């Protein structure tokens, strides 16, 4: 990871929720198409300004969603990436977050992708 320090930002310790998040992070660092990788999934309320407001379908309350990655590509485009376990992929809260993030991404000339853990682990995700 040390050789790719310029491709991410400093945090004392990265805390990944899963092996697929770590694998994607390492893939992003190694990609020649990626200029910068910001792993933001470990941050929570008031630790970062990067969040997506969404309406929680279970409580009908406005909440903040913190996607896992913000990626700046060499071509100047930005990607917002979220890693989810296959069992959570169709969860109503996950879908509400996805819809809100897609709307924000389009308005900001970015792209949002919800990625399945098994697709990452099976090498089916290319950034």
């Amino acid at each position: 990871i040390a050789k790719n320090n310029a491709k991410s930002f400093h945090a004392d310790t990265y805390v990944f929720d899963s092996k697929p998040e770590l694998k994607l992070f390492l893939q992003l660092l190694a990609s020649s198409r990626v200029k910068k990788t910001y792993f933001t999934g470990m941050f929570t309320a008031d630790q970062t300004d990067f969040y997506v407001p969404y309406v929680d379908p279970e409580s009908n309350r406005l909440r903040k969603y913190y996607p896992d990655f913000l990626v700046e590509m060499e071509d100047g485009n930005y990607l917002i990436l979220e890693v989810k376990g296959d069992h959570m992929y169709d969860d109503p809260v996950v879908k509400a977050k996805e819809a809100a993030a897609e709307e924000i991404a389009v308005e900001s000339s970015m792209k949002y992708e919800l990625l399945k853990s098994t697709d990452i682990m099976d090498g089916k995700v290319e950034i």
Side-chain angles (χ1 to χ4, degrees), residues 17-45:
D17 289 338
S18 64
K19 288 180 182 178
E21 279 184 1
L22 173 58
K23 183 173 182 174
L24 180 61
F25 181 68
L26 295 174
Q27 179 182 341
L28 292 168
L29 290 181
S31 174
S32 62
R33 296 182 56 224
V34 173
K35 183 174 181 178
K36 295 275 186 183
T37 298
Y38 303 96
F39 175 62
T40 57
M42 66 186 183
F43 297 117
T44 57

Side-chain angles (χ1 to χ4, degrees), residues 31-118:
S31 174
S32 62
R33 296 182 56 224
V34 173
K35 183 174 181 178
K36 295 275 186 183
T37 298
Y38 303 96
F39 175 62
T40 57
M42 66 186 183
F43 297 117
T44 57
D46 302 324
Q47 290 183 310
T48 177
D49 290 333
F50 180 64
Y51 66 88
V52 175
Y54 76 101
V55 176
D56 183 324
E58 293 173 355
S59 66
N60 209 30
R61 296 185 67 190
L62 186 62
R63 300 210 183 273
K64 293 178 181 178
Y65 158 45
Y66 300 89
D68 293 324
F69 296 94
L70 176 63
V71 181
E72 180 183 2
M73 305 300 288
E74 285 291 346
D75 64 7
N77 288 316
Y78 282 85
L79 303 176
I80 301 169
L81 304 175
E82 177 70 20
V83 177
K84 277 293 170 218
D86 293 29
H87 68 288
M88 294 295 296
Y89 195 78
D90 291 320
D91 181 83
V93 174
V94 170
K95 290 302 181 184
K97 291 176 180 179
E98 179 184 31
E102 285 179 342
E103 187 175 324
I104 294 285
V106 167
E107 291 174 5
S108 303
S109 299
M110 298 178 168
K111 183 177 178 185
Y112 175 83
E113 291 187 44
L114 179 62
L115 305 171
K116 285 185 179 179
S117 292
T118 54

